[in-house]
Amino acid sequence: MSNLKNFLFTSESVSEGHPDKVSDRISDMVVDTYLSKDPYARVACETLTTTNKVVLAGEVRGPEINKDDLIKKVRNCIKDIGYDQKGFTWKEATKIESHLHSQSSDIAMGVDSSGNKDEGAGDQGIMFGYACDETDVLMPAPIHYSHKILSLMADDRKSGKLKNIEPDSKSQVTFQYLDGKPSKVKSVVISSQHSADVSQKHVREILRPYMLNSIPKEFMEDFNDDEFYVNPTGNFVIGGPDGDCGLTGRKIIVDTYGGAAPHGGGAFSGKDPTKVDRSAAYAARYIAKNIVASKITEKCLIQLAYAIGVSKPLSIYVNLFDNDLDKNRFVTEKIKENFDLSPRGIREMLRLNKAIYEKTAAYGHFGRTPENDGAFSWENTDKISIFTK
């Protein structure tokens, strides 16, 4: 984000019914399926969704999973999201193909531990973690409230409370920042697939409460209703994979910080935790969140860099945005002393070898509530004392 103190900043989110998110959900279901059978299984699964078709492709190493069982689980994902439409349904009209095959022995050789060699990173790359004090979950305000709008809509749609709204939706929230802090909402966009027999005026009115119930009142005090945009192009009846092809990993900014912080470029969904694209990004968020929760800074950015087959990060970069070099050195040393950032160290620290990934696929991987089964463990703030001077 810019060093400007006064500016407008916008982030978007997409619902679990967005075609790319359908693909992410299915890919993460495949990861969970393998990890539930073998915590050390290797998975790199990509999913394509289009009109009445789903295609799985990628590499796996681990237990034998019956293809028919996997296809049944794909249908269960589609059913849970809520698709039973002419162009995309959980039923037999949608054809599902699986082209998963064995992982490359070259990759396995670089990643596996043997003798005195620790497990290496599954690929080279850079990963970022970020936290700030704009919200109670230490996430940037625009992405946090964009997620919340769609999450509330999905809950009510699935319960039957929200009628005439279909699974494919998008949101976008623009905040005005004064002196570097979010001060008020300038505009909100909600685009949602809807049934054919409902007017745009009705769609606008039934979606308005989700804006108002998601964003705190202090940010909406002088909101101009002309800046509330619902389906700006008009009808949105054909949606989901029938309206737009979906692919795993195309919503990486939605998955992270809404553009308020850098992104390393690697997607998360469909990858087991030996892939540092996923695990190291979670670790960087975990550390950044604990640093901000310790209240020694208002925001923190961390970058980690890895090489394939090498266990330790090649570099650790920390930015506390306050030009305090002594504090920056202090934090960097505390990270090196207290966190094992090898792939194995991250997995053990955050307990990542579990079937916890399907639920991460929509509404962001960060800013979520840690769960008893270990999901979202990277959102815990149990390392605050490390950074308290």
Side-chain angles (χ1 to χ4, degrees):
M1 193 180 283
S2 161
N3 289 326
L4 293 171
K5 292 292 185 181
N6 302 326
F7 53 89
L8 299 178
F9 194 81
T10 304
S11 294
E12 70 159 349
S13 182
V14 298
S15 72
E16 63 203 74
H18 185 282
D20 294 331
K21 281 289 146 203
V22 176
S23 296
D24 284 343
R25 165 83 176 264
I26 292 169
S27 292
D28 276 334
M29 175 278 292
V30 173
V31 173
D32 283 355
T33 298
Y34 277 87
L35 290 179
S36 67
K37 302 285 188 183
D38 176 2
Y40 300 100
R42 300 279 169 76
V43 181
C45 176
E46 309 293 341
T47 302
L48 176 148
T49 54
T50 187
T51 302
N52 283 335
K53 178 163 279 194
V54 176
V55 180
L56 309 182
E59 303 78 48
V60 296
R61 194 180 79 185
E64 287 292 324
I65 303 292
N66 182 279
K67 185 179 287 191
D68 290 339
D69 290 343
L70 200 61
I71 288 173
K72 184 178 180 182
K73 289 190 173 192
V74 171
R75 295 195 189 282
N76 288 341
C77 288
I78 298 168
K79 184 178 183 180
D80 182 68
I81 291 168
Y83 276 113
D84 187 13
Q85 300 172 0
K86 182 180 178 182
F88 195 70
T89 175
W90 61 272
K91 296 174 182 173
E92 294 297 322
T94 292
K95 305 305 178 187
I96 301 171
E97 301 175 12
S98 177
H99 301 281
L100 296 170
H101 59 86
S102 296
Q103 183 189 49
S104 158
S105 58
D106 289 347
I107 293 176
M109 179 175 62
V111 174
D112 290 347
S113 57
S114 61
N116 294 323
K117 175 186 174 295
D118 195 8
E119 177 185 308
D123 201 354
Q124 71 174 47
I126 56 174
M127 296 84 211
F128 288 94
Y130 181 72
C132 61
D133 64 0
E134 294 178 13
T135 59
D136 58 354
V137 293
L138 305 185
M139 285 289 286
I143 188 67
H144 177 65
Y145 297 117
S146 294
H147 286 322
K148 194 168 182 182
I149 289 169
L150 297 182
S151 180
L152 292 178
M153 284 171 55
D155 288 345
D156 284 357
R157 174 179 58 79
K158 289 179 171 182
S159 73
K161 181 179 177 181
L162 177 59
K163 302 183 187 305
N164 299 117
I165 295 298
E166 300 294 339
D168 189 0
S169 302
K170 301 175 83 169
S171 63
Q172 186 170 284
V173 178
T174 299
F175 266 84
Q176 181 178 47
Y177 281 71
L178 297 178
D179 197 26
K181 295 289 186 181
S183 66
K184 64 180 180 179
V185 171
K186 289 291 287 183
S187 65
V188 175
V189 182
I190 305 177
S191 295
S192 186
Q193 184 186 18
H194 55 84
S195 58
D197 57 353
V198 62
S199 70
Q200 290 304 309
K201 181 179 179 182
H202 183 61
V203 172
R204 179 184 174 90
E205 290 314 305
I206 62 176
L207 294 185
R208 183 190 303 274
Y210 295 94
M211 171 182 69
L212 299 176
N213 292 336
S214 298
I215 303 171
K217 288 185 175 61
E218 62 264 28
F219 293 131
M220 300 290 289
E221 285 179 356
D222 59 350
F223 182 74
N224 180 352
D225 198 59
D226 289 342
E227 296 293 327
F228 177 44
Y229 302 93
V230 175
N231 290 354
T233 60
N235 267 13
F236 186 179
V237 174
I238 299 172
D242 186 29
D244 189 12
C245 179
L247 293 169
T248 302
R250 283 206 301 199
K251 289 292 177 284
I252 58 177
I253 302 302
V254 170
D255 288 341
T256 54
Y257 308 103
H263 192 292
F268 302 157
S269 290
K271 297 175 181 177
D272 74 75
T274 66
K275 278 70 171 179
V276 283
D277 276 342
R278 180 167 223 159
S279 58
Y282 289 173
R285 162 65 179 174
Y286 178 55
I287 296 169
K289 186 174 183 182
N290 275 273
I291 290 169
V292 174
S294 74
K295 300 190 183 301
I296 65 170
T297 187
E298 294 179 349
K299 57 182 177 177
C300 174
L301 176 69
I302 291 175
Q303 184 205 58
L304 304 174
Y306 291 85
I308 188 168
V310 179
S311 63
K312 298 295 183 182
L314 305 184
S315 67
I316 301 172
Y317 165 81
V318 178
N319 188 349
L320 304 178
F321 300 93
D322 58 9
N323 297 315
D324 186 332
L325 296 181
D326 288 338
K327 189 200 296 181
N328 198 288
R329 279 192 288 266
F330 166 79
V331 167
T332 302
E333 286 306 311
K334 288 295 184 182
I335 293 171
K336 291 177 179 177
E337 291 169 6
N338 291 277
F339 296 90
D340 180 352
L341 294 174
S342 67
R344 184 201 304 273
I346 291 171
R347 288 207 319 279
E348 292 177 353
M349 174 176 66
L350 298 177
R351 305 180 305 282
L352 297 180
N353 284 100
K354 297 181 176 182
I356 55 173
Y357 297 105
E358 188 176 340
K359 64 187 74 175
T360 68
Y363 315 117
H365 292 243
F366 308 128
R368 308 285 289 274
T369 302
E371 299 184 6
N372 292 334
D373 64 358
F376 306 106
S377 59
W378 50 93
E379 291 298 308
N380 282 308
T381 51
D382 53 352
K383 303 292 186 184
I384 293 173
S385 61
I386 290 172
F387 304 104
T388 305
K389 286 189 175 182

